[in-house]
Amino acid sequence: LMMIVTTDNTSLILGSNEPNVNKIIDDLSLLASKNIGELVTAHPNLLIFPTHFEDNEDDIASKPIFELNVSESQTVLETGNVMGFIGVKGTQLKIQSRFARASVVGSDDQANQEEAIEEDYFLHYMLQKVLCINLFDLKHSRNQTNLFDFLVYLFPHFLKKALSQGLYKEYQKQSYNDSSLKGAIDVKAHLRQNLPFRGNVAYSVREHSFDNPISQLIRHAIEFIKQKPNLRDVLHSDSETLDFVNLIVQHTPSYHVRDRHTIINTNRKPFVHPYFTEYSGLQKICLQILRYEGLKYANNDDKAHGILFDGAWLWEEYLNTLLRPIGYDHPTNNNRQGGIKVYAQKFSGNNVRRYPDFVKDSRIILDAKYKRMKDNKIDRDDLNQVLSYLFLYKADIGGYIAPTEEDDLALNMGLLNGFGGSIHKFKLAIPQKVASYRAFKKAIAENEAKLVKSIDELSGIQSSNQPLMII
């Protein structure tokens, strides 16, 4: 098994003198430059966040996970905003956040891999905040996280989202042998079990049951996780997860470990239901957990597997956990909540809407940017985007929030012509020199407090209309 480790928004040179580089390039070329929407359709074992990425305003469905630029002397692997794990044939690609150092490892030697790879505390932290993952508080140490760990960490998130829609039930054929006949008589079973006749009748009937292939698949995943000493705490990391685990166990009385292969095969077809929509993701992650070893070593299988996170989406949702408590709304495109109509009056056709990332009292507009932003410069498209939001909302203040390796920084970029207003730029410093995840959380919490304080001061600027100091 060959492992490539890189970071988001980075170019990584795969030199021709690297061991097995030709095999790595051949494997990765099956996925290179193909858009995410196409890949997810063609490779059912790929999980991606956000799960409803087709509704994302950043249009990540049309973007590739990575690109390979091949020349005579070298091949360059270029990544975008997507992070996570993806495997195809004998190659696994791990894309960390750019705030974690990474290097190439083309070896099965676990000791060498651990020496080369730095843990990605920032990605872990954002996932913990956004998806409410508690396991990182329980057992997290440097260099331990791989694809299987992430699948297990995220299992409670999928479980809670699915069961929040209710426990799934479907019609199942059930066989009975009693005196309460209510279905079709099973003649062979009746003759075998009820001679001489004692009043019972063998029959079968179709009835709704919670004990079905989907519930059984979830139960098998639960029992499989229970066998992992370092990971099983995830099943009782919070009371809601524990309640849902117990609910599944209670309603799958026919569970037996010997049926695992049969249950997996029964769930080969992707789950589709007009109401129980969240069970599709849960089915995927259960199958990946149960099949992980087989997927890991499926060198002759062209199907990719893995779990990916759109960095722009994750950064935006992480910022929402910081800004919501100080009064910012977070319009979302996927469920059509919030936003503003472009036209005050539309004479024909539907009125389109725009969804800024964060809005406060219709007077302050903030845009989340998971990208490198130069201190004294704003990209043309980014500037035009915020200017359009300011115009539609008749807002006074617009701004950007981006992560940085530098110390936290707040810049007042300038006053605007026309309708007036001002543009600001905020940066959240991501701690770099920390010895543990605990130390990282402490350091970033301090930086978050500084960021929130700087942003919250915008309300004072807005209400007082005081002049801005250009830094």
Side-chain angles (χ1 to χ4, degrees), residues 5-10 79-84 94-102 118-126 309 311 314 370 372 403 405 430-432 440:
V5 184
T6 185
T7 59
D8 68 75
N9 295 281
T10 302
T79 57
N81 274 345
V82 175
M83 297 174 280
K94 181 178 181 179
I95 307 175
Q96 298 179 299
S97 80
R98 62 180 179 272
F99 301 98
R101 293 182 296 275
E118 292 288 339
E119 192 58 276
D120 192 354
Y121 292 143
F122 184 48
L123 175 58
H124 293 162
Y125 184 74
M126 287 196 294
F309 310 94
L314 193 57
Y370 186 75
R372 294 180 176 91
E405 296 179 8
I430 310 304
Q432 295 294 294
F440 177 90

Side-chain angles (χ1 to χ4, degrees), residues 35-72:
N35 66 62
I36 290 174
E38 177 185 352
L39 288 174
V40 170
T41 301
H43 303 273
N45 288 316
L46 270 181
L47 281 167
I48 186 164
F49 283 85
T51 52
H52 302 292
F53 61 86
E54 64 277 3
D55 294 326
N56 188 280
E57 276 208 319
D58 293 329
D59 193 26
I60 64 169
S62 65
K63 298 176 182 177
I65 299 170
F66 61 89
E67 295 181 345
L68 286 177
N69 296 319
V70 183
S71 66
E72 292 184 1

Side-chain angles (χ1 to χ4, degrees), residues 127-145:
L127 289 173
Q128 179 182 0
K129 296 278 283 189
V130 173
L131 302 179
C132 301
I133 300 172
N134 295 324
L135 186 67
F136 296 116
D137 290 329
L138 303 176
K139 298 182 186 297
H140 189 281
S141 61
R142 182 180 171 191
N143 299 328
Q144 76 170 17
T145 309

Side-chain angles (χ1 to χ4, degrees), residues 205-403:
V205 62
R206 281 174 52 83
E207 58 186 13
H208 270 118
S209 173
F210 294 114
D211 194 1
N212 52 66
I214 287 291
S215 300
Q216 282 288 332
L217 180 70
I218 303 168
R219 174 70 182 277
H220 280 273
I222 289 170
E223 298 300 329
F224 188 73
I225 294 171
K226 286 181 180 179
Q227 299 171 9
K228 307 297 179 181
N230 295 329
L231 297 171
R232 59 191 176 200
D233 287 340
V234 74
L235 297 176
H236 50 80
S237 57
D238 60 75
S239 59
E240 187 179 17
T241 299
L242 181 60
D243 289 343
F244 283 146
V245 167
N246 291 336
L247 188 66
I248 290 293
V249 171
Q250 177 186 348
H251 287 89
T252 49
S254 65
Y255 165 82
H256 198 287
V257 66
R258 66 167 177 262
D259 300 328
R260 184 160 296 166
H261 185 70
T262 301
I263 291 297
I264 291 174
N265 285 335
T266 305
N267 280 274
R268 284 181 300 177
K269 185 177 179 181
F271 179 82
V272 178
H273 194 281
Y275 177 74
F276 294 98
T277 53
E278 298 297 344
Y279 275 79
S280 174
L282 181 58
Q283 182 198 42
K284 275 188 175 185
I285 202 166
C286 288
L287 286 172
Q288 285 218 44
I289 289 171
L290 294 172
R291 289 173 167 173
Y292 178 70
E293 290 302 318
L295 290 170
K296 184 177 177 182
Y297 298 107
N299 292 343
N300 297 319
D301 190 355
D302 289 346
K303 294 295 183 182
H305 64 279
I307 186 162
L308 302 167
F309 310 94
D310 175 45
W313 168 83
L314 193 57
W315 171 245
E316 181 181 322
E317 295 303 314
Y318 161 61
L319 288 178
N320 186 42
T321 67
L322 305 179
L323 297 179
R324 186 176 59 245
I326 60 172
Y328 280 84
D329 295 325
H330 179 39
T332 51
N333 185 34
N334 64 316
N335 57 12
R336 302 297 188 267
Q337 290 185 356
I340 189 170
K341 292 180 179 180
V342 171
Y343 299 99
Q345 184 178 3
K346 190 74 166 62
F347 297 108
S348 63
N350 295 326
N351 201 343
V352 295
R353 301 183 75 92
R354 289 293 177 263
Y355 299 87
D357 292 339
F358 302 102
V359 181
K360 185 171 185 178
D361 302 326
S362 297
R363 311 307 298 170
I364 304 176
I365 310 292
L366 296 178
D367 198 35
K369 291 297 179 188
Y370 186 75
K371 61 193 299 185
R372 294 180 176 91
M373 297 189 75
K374 296 181 180 178
D375 291 343
N376 59 352
K377 186 177 179 181
I378 299 176
D379 181 81
R380 175 183 175 182
D381 291 339
D382 294 339
L383 180 59
N384 289 339
Q385 183 181 26
V386 167
L387 289 176
S388 67
Y389 292 151
L390 291 174
F391 174 80
L392 290 173
Y393 279 89
K394 299 180 182 178
D396 301 319
I397 295 174
Y400 307 87
I401 314 175

